[in-house]
Amino acid sequence: RKEVEQDPGPFNVPEGATVAFNCTYSNSASQSFFWYRQDCRKEPKLLMSVYSSGNEDGRFTAQLNRASQYISLLIRDSKLSDSATYLCVVNQGEYSGGGADGLTFGKGTHLIIQP
Amino acid sequence: DTGVSQDPRHKITKRGQNVTFRCDPISEHNRLYWYRQTLGQGPEFLTYFQNEAQLEKSRLLSDRFSAERPKGSFSTLEIQRTEQGDSAMYLCASSPGFNQPQHFGDGTRLSIL
């Protein structure tokens, strides 16, 4: 399996600010892309899928650039509750009647929102 | 609660013992995955099932590890002759199909003494 790279941070950001993370992936055959959020000692939770056309969910915007093989996440009007680790996740599988379907995770970017 | 559930939440055992974890996926999901996460790292893929068939195993899954999903519902992950390096959070996830978002359980935290 090939790599997913993220800046581990921490990113220290004042409440209300806008923050952006990038992530790069090395396998050009990757099929699907996600951002997950993980709080300390908790399980990863799906934040949003990432589509080539870009997608938005409230204060969160995700973008995918297949040509450059990077994914971004933008958080606007950040809240204290946004403090967490954000995991960039790629599914590298190629469906062949049940082929590889495990997710490859980056190490995560640690975000701290300061009051 | 209709999410993914894992049991136990915590397991402490002595080196050399065998341990078994259980995962109950979301009921309509036919794909079930096991991951391992150590401190400061993202989760690492171990293996996955489609229904009862185990379709892929990672190189991380040594011969001391075995996973089953006999009836295509719950799954078990067994580690034999545990070693210090097996200490980690073991996460289970499920999804409704290929390339679909995976939903994780709370995990089983394993500590080897």
Side-chain angles (χ1 to χ4, degrees), chain A residues 32 36 38 43 98-99 101, chain B residues 31 33 35 37 48 99 102 105:
Chain A
S32 54
Y36 278 73
Q38 188 169 29
E43 79 278 16
D101 193 27
Chain B
R31 292 205 168 203
Y33 311 80
Y35 293 83
Q37 186 174 23
Y48 86 96
N99 243 354
Q102 297 176 21

Side-chain angles (χ1 to χ4, degrees), chain A:
Chain A
R1 286 183 183 267
K2 298 184 181 178
E3 298 294 322
V4 176
E5 303 283 346
Q6 312 181 234
D7 182 344
F11 284 51
N12 290 281
V13 174
E15 190 176 9
T18 295
V19 59
F21 310 135
N22 288 331
C23 153
T24 59
Y25 61 95
S26 59
N27 186 352
S28 60
S30 296
Q31 301 261 328
S32 54
F33 310 87
F34 309 94
W35 283 102
Y36 278 73
R37 169 194 169 127
Q38 188 169 29
D39 294 292
C40 188
R41 301 180 75 83
K42 299 284 192 178
E43 79 278 16
K45 292 187 177 177
L46 178 68
L47 182 64
M48 57 199 304
S49 300
V50 187
Y51 304 116
S52 297
S53 55
N55 49 302
E56 186 173 313
D57 182 2
R59 297 182 293 108
F60 298 84
T61 301
Q63 295 275 352
L64 168 64
N65 185 319
R66 282 190 183 270
S68 300
Q69 295 181 206
Y70 79 78
I71 307 155
S72 65
L73 176 68
L74 182 78
I75 306 174
R76 290 181 300 278
D77 187 24
S78 54
K79 312 290 185 191
L80 294 176
S81 58
D82 293 335
S83 297
T85 296
Y86 290 84
L87 297 163
C88 177
V89 186
V90 172
N91 188 324
Q92 304 186 73
E94 294 182 5
Y95 186 64
S96 57
D101 193 27
L103 297 176
T104 301
F105 285 77
K107 292 184 178 181
T109 296
H110 189 38
L111 174 65
I112 301 169
I113 305 299
Q114 297 174 327

Side-chain angles (χ1 to χ4, degrees), chain B residues 25-45:
Chain B
I26 294 170
S27 58
E28 61 268 27
H29 288 182
N30 62 16
R31 292 205 168 203
L32 185 149
Y33 311 80
W34 286 99
Y35 293 83
R36 182 175 72 183
Q37 186 174 23
T38 53
L39 196 62
Q41 304 294 317
E44 296 172 295
F45 170 75

Side-chain angles (χ1 to χ4, degrees), chain B residues 20-23 34 49 66-70 74-78:
Chain B
T20 301
F21 311 141
R22 176 178 170 126
C23 171
W34 286 99
F49 294 83
S66 62
E68 294 182 341
R69 194 184 183 197
F74 73 91
S75 175
T76 57
L77 177 67
E78 181 182 16

Side-chain angles (χ1 to χ4, degrees), chain B residues 57-82:
Chain B
K57 298 182 194 179
S58 159
R59 286 191 303 273
L60 292 175
L61 210 69
S62 77
D63 57 7
R64 295 185 298 105
F65 287 69
S66 62
E68 294 182 341
R69 194 184 183 197
K71 298 181 180 178
S73 55
F74 73 91
S75 175
T76 57
L77 177 67
E78 181 182 16
I79 309 174
Q80 296 182 325
R81 305 181 303 281
T82 52

